[in-house]
Amino acid sequence: MGLILWLIIGGLAGWIAGNIMRGGGFGILGNIGVGIVGAVLGGLVFRLLGIASYSIIGSLVTAIVGAVLLLWIVSMVRKP
């Protein structure tokens, strides 16, 4: 059950971050990938700030923040 929930949160976070940053999603696999990597990045950032989440909503918010941060970093790297 944990893996399925992780994939659902990752997909949802990736889709939301895609809509925030560029106005569209990345497809189901792209959304899941961006969301999972964003969740890891968001968890690291929140841990450095001393913020912890203990619920599904907190995990989703952490994943969204991390995914938006990830997409922002990628957009900065891609600029010529």
Side-chain angles (χ1 to χ4, degrees):
M1 186 65 182
L3 179 64
I4 294 172
L5 189 60
W6 202 35
L7 292 174
I8 291 171
I9 289 175
L12 190 58
W15 177 75
I16 292 171
N19 285 326
I20 290 171
M21 291 301 291
R22 30 182 304 236
F26 305 102
I28 188 73
L29 293 177
N31 287 343
I32 291 172
V34 168
I36 289 174
V37 173
V40 171
L41 183 62
L44 291 173
V45 169
F46 277 22
R47 189 173 302 131
L48 288 174
L49 295 174
I51 302 170
S53 64
Y54 299 105
S55 66
I56 293 174
I57 300 298
S59 297
L60 181 61
V61 169
T62 301
I64 292 170
V65 169
V68 167
L69 183 62
L70 173 68
L71 294 176
W72 179 76
I73 291 170
V74 168
S75 72
M76 290 294 128
V77 171
R78 283 191 174 181
K79 282 188 178 179

